[in-house]
Structures are given as C-alpha cells and as structure tokens.
Amino acid sequence: MSPITHRAAVLLALTEGPTFGFALGQRLKIGDGALRPILRVLERERLIEPCEGPPSAPERGGRARQYYQLTEAGYAQAEADRALLAALVRPESESKE
C-alpha cells in the first residue's frame, strides 16, 4: 500500500480546520462513494469527529451539513503523515545531511 493514501489526504486537509464532507471531497478530488467510507473509518478510529458548522442555507431546507474536525489523535496522525510525505519528497542530498 502506498504511504500517501486518501486517508492521509483527508487528515492533512482537516489540519486547516473543520469542513463538510462535500467540500472535502471536491478539494481532494475524491468521489462521495470513496469519501464516506474513509470518513466512517476515521471516525471509528477516533481520528476525526463530527462538529457543528455554520447554520445551513435556506436552500438546504434546514438540513445541517455534516462537518468534521480532527481529534487530538487525528492531529498526531496527520503530523506523522506529513513527516512521512516530507521524507519521501526531500531531495537525496538533504536526507544525507
């Protein structure tokens, strides 16, 4: 399995703050059919949690959007993923110093 996964991409995207599922999928170019299972797994692992977002727009008929945010464990995992990514893309000359 590749160390850079959709799972890692979701965690890294959420380091910038809470967002709702549809916006997250558009930003990462992950379809809803792939994103929802990832979000469920991350929530089950307690790396993300649902949170309240701004009030929903009238065109949504009062239905609230499902926002997600990182937990403390989620931030730790995102930082570990960020370090792994940095190590993979670091030029060889820098890694020998």
Side-chain angles (χ1 to χ4, degrees), residues 54-63 65:
S56 65
E59 64 269 10
R60 288 189 50 82
R63 294 186 329 263
R65 287 181 168 147

Side-chain angles (χ1 to χ4, degrees), residues 24-37:
L24 191 59
Q26 282 191 316
R27 179 168 173 223
L28 298 174
K29 297 186 179 18
I30 299 173
D32 195 52
L35 181 61
R36 295 290 168 197

Side-chain angles (χ1 to χ4, degrees), residues 1 4 9 11 15 21 27 32 34 41 44 50 52-53 58 64 66 71 77 79 82 88 90 94:
M1 175 169 25
I4 308 306
L11 290 173
T15 62
R27 179 168 173 223
D32 195 52
V41 168
R44 201 169 37 247
E52 280 192 39
Q66 181 67 61
T71 62
Q77 183 61 55
E79 289 308 313
R82 187 184 315 274
L88 289 172
R90 185 177 303 130
E94 284 184 30

Side-chain angles (χ1 to χ4, degrees), residues 62-77:
R63 294 186 329 263
R65 287 181 168 147
Q66 181 67 61
Y67 277 72
Y68 297 92
Q69 66 185 6
L70 291 174
T71 62
E72 197 170 309
Y75 274 107
Q77 183 61 55

